[in-house]
Amino acid sequence: MPRPKEFIPDEALEKAMQVFWHKGYEATSMEDLLEAMDLNRGSLYDTFGDKRQLFLKVIDRYCHGFVGEKFSLLDQPGPALPTLRLFIRGMIEGGLADPQRRGCLIANSVMELSPHEKEIAGTLRQVLKLIEDTFFRVLTRAKQQGELNNGKDPRALARFLATMMQGTIVMIKAGASADAVNQTAETALTILD
Amino acid sequence: MPRPKEFIPDEALEKAMQVFWHKGYEATSMEDLLEAMDLNRGSLYDTFGDKRQLFLKVIDRYCHGFVGEKFSLLDQPGPALPTLRLFIRGMIEGGLADPQRRGCLIANSVMELSPHEKEIAGTLRQVLKLIEDTFFRVLTRAKQQGELNNGKDPRALARFLATMMQGTIVMIKAGASADAVNQTAETALTILD
DNA sequence: CACATATTGGAACGATCAGTCAGTAACAAG
DNA sequence: CTTGTTACTGACTGATCGTTCCAATATGTG
């Protein structure tokens, strides 16, 4: 009996994500979102709540969709360490290829909001934990398969890789050259040897 | 003959820096700045120009004062590598000790503004280059003094350390535990062995 | 003491902010 | 067709944004 929506919520959420990713939370106005999502105020507020709630939904989508999809590659059986290396190089290549240098929505949001928005900060911390844990699993598997030196600590390495990724994102956003970023990544990866 | 200013510009700039550091550029209002700097609109605009110009002055101050001061320790004669290790550990300890977890004004600004504000982005890139070059000098010195393995590349390591620092700042802002951050730092430092 | 000058305090500007709401439109069930 | 339920529309709110402007004020010099 209700009148059907004239938009697909998930598609609208995708558009909202692009805007937040590109401009950041504060710098994104509801006007921006309405235009990008191609719907009107009432529909937006009815469907997604206010700006913060919408943003939380966007973060959730980014986490489960974008991040989850990419990182699930690491949990597939087969050689662990080479896959991990390829994954990290691919991640960096992707970041460098973006002409807008938007970096990573998670890192952007941590830097902009974590100190002030406790609820959002909690969500973001969970995502980072998820990333660390994925690295941990693949490193543990690498160790079991004899690909990783037995003296190495998978937890420490997982944290190291996660931190390194975030640092690389900062450098990419700062405008570092592809050469410098790649050299840094290769330097970091030597720690797995 | 003119009436003297009732405030010390440099002190006011210091206050402005604290606000920008804590809240970020967009989220800081002129109202916030007026209150913190304890002066009135006319004086602020006459002395520092508009918000962006004030921010550039703040960045400049942060770079020459805060960053310059700390990093100059690395250029002093004596043992290079141990000094570098102490420096990095001290940097991280300082970041963790800040109850507000403000991170680093440079990194914060890169993440918030670099993609959109070309002028500010240029200034920030210069500061990061300055940091990388300081690491490069100390590593080169370490190599000359036989403290660093001859096979190591000072430029690559300098970039690595700079990137690692930025990543650590992200993690600190994200609310990572001191243990995790310290473990990560120690893992990263093994690359100097 | 008075002049010249820069600072000061605050009113006011238009623009934009996030969010609200009453009125209209569209669908499905009875 | 009527009715109930939801979605869309767009004008509107009060607050806040960065910025401008000016009269009042306070100072050091002649």
Side-chain angles (χ1 to χ4, degrees):
Chain A
M1 25 257 262
R3 175 178 176 181
K5 288 182 197 292
E6 289 182 3
F7 62 96
I8 304 166
D10 195 59
E11 282 184 7
L13 215 52
E14 166 70 25
K15 300 284 183 61
M17 187 184 82
Q18 296 295 339
V19 182
F20 277 129
W21 196 354
H22 178 56
K23 304 189 71 173
Y25 180 78
E26 291 278 0
T28 297
S29 68
M30 296 305 282
E31 216 78 46
D32 294 333
L33 293 166
L34 292 173
E35 191 184 352
M37 300 166 82
D38 194 30
L39 42 81
N40 38 47
R41 296 187 121 72
S43 304
L44 198 161
Y45 279 94
D46 282 352
T47 310
F48 301 105
D50 62 14
K51 191 183 179 184
R52 169 175 310 182
Q53 289 174 303
L54 170 61
F55 185 73
L56 281 168
K57 288 184 171 70
V58 161
I59 292 285
D60 205 58
R61 189 193 145 83
Y62 184 86
C63 171
H64 288 92
F66 198 83
V67 177
E69 195 176 319
K70 298 265 183 194
F71 277 80
S72 67
L73 298 175
L74 294 177
D75 280 323
Q76 288 172 4
L81 219 53
T83 304
L84 179 57
R85 288 181 201 277
L86 282 175
F87 172 85
I88 287 174
R89 290 187 183 114
M91 214 69 180
I92 289 168
E93 196 171 345
L96 286 168
D98 179 6
Q100 302 186 95
R101 300 255 174 155
R102 291 172 303 176
C104 158
L105 181 58
I106 305 299
N108 297 357
S109 306
V110 163
M111 293 297 275
E112 183 183 359
L113 301 172
S114 268
H116 308 283
E117 304 277 348
K118 303 250 168 179
E119 184 183 3
I120 297 178
T123 303
L124 294 171
R125 199 158 47 234
Q126 281 179 10
V127 182
L128 289 180
K129 173 75 174 156
L130 196 138
I131 290 174
E132 180 194 311
D133 286 346
T134 307
F135 281 143
F136 176 71
R137 281 195 304 278
V138 71
L139 286 163
T140 302
R141 198 155 52 84
K143 202 171 176 179
Q144 286 167 348
Q145 296 174 185
E147 306 169 46
L148 184 65
N149 186 312
N150 230 314
K152 304 281 188 182
D153 177 355
R155 180 57 66 184
L157 288 178
R159 286 173 174 160
F160 168 81
L161 290 178
T163 303
M164 201 59 209
M165 258 186 55
Q166 303 303 324
T168 304
I169 288 160
V170 177
M171 288 306 187
I172 288 175
K173 291 202 81 166
S177 73
D179 283 351
V181 172
N182 285 323
Q183 183 188 44
T184 302
E186 293 309 318
T187 305
L189 285 175
T190 62
I191 215 162
L192 298 177
D193 296 336
Chain B
M1 29 300 236
R3 175 177 172 182
K5 286 181 198 296
E6 288 185 3
F7 63 95
I8 304 168
D10 195 58
E11 282 185 6
L13 215 53
E14 167 70 25
K15 301 285 182 61
M17 186 184 84
Q18 297 295 338
V19 182
F20 278 128
W21 195 355
H22 178 57
K23 305 190 69 172
Y25 180 79
E26 290 279 359
T28 296
S29 68
M30 295 305 280
E31 216 77 46
D32 293 332
L33 293 166
L34 292 174
E35 191 185 352
M37 299 166 81
D38 194 30
L39 42 81
N40 38 47
R41 299 187 121 72
S43 303
L44 199 162
Y45 279 93
D46 282 352
T47 310
F48 301 105
D50 62 13
K51 191 183 178 185
R52 169 175 309 184
Q53 291 174 304
L54 171 60
F55 186 72
L56 281 168
K57 290 185 171 69
V58 161
I59 293 285
D60 206 58
R61 188 194 145 82
Y62 184 85
C63 170
H64 288 91
F66 198 82
V67 176
E69 195 176 318
K70 298 264 184 195
F71 277 80
S72 67
L73 297 175
L74 293 177
D75 280 324
Q76 289 173 1
L81 218 53
T83 303
L84 179 57
R85 288 181 200 276
L86 282 175
F87 172 84
I88 287 174
R89 290 186 184 118
M91 215 69 182
I92 289 169
E93 195 171 346
L96 285 169
D98 179 6
Q100 303 185 93
R101 298 256 175 156
R102 289 172 304 177
C104 158
L105 181 59
I106 305 300
N108 297 358
S109 306
V110 163
M111 294 297 274
E112 183 181 0
L113 302 171
S114 269
H116 305 99
E117 304 276 349
K118 303 251 170 179
E119 185 185 3
I120 297 177
T123 303
L124 295 171
R125 198 157 48 236
Q126 282 178 9
V127 182
L128 289 179
K129 172 74 173 156
L130 197 136
I131 290 174
E132 179 193 312
D133 286 347
T134 306
F135 281 143
F136 175 72
R137 282 195 303 279
V138 72
L139 286 163
T140 303
R141 201 154 51 84
K143 201 170 175 178
Q144 288 167 347
Q145 296 173 184
E147 304 169 46
L148 184 66
N149 185 310
N150 230 313
K152 304 282 188 181
D153 177 355
R155 180 57 67 185
L157 288 179
R159 285 172 174 161
F160 168 81
L161 289 178
T163 303
M164 201 59 211
M165 259 188 55
Q166 303 302 324
T168 304
I169 288 160
V170 177
M171 288 308 186
I172 287 175
K173 291 201 79 165
S177 73
D179 283 351
V181 172
N182 286 323
Q183 183 189 43
T184 303
E186 294 308 319
T187 304
L189 285 175
T190 62
I191 214 162
L192 299 176
D193 295 337

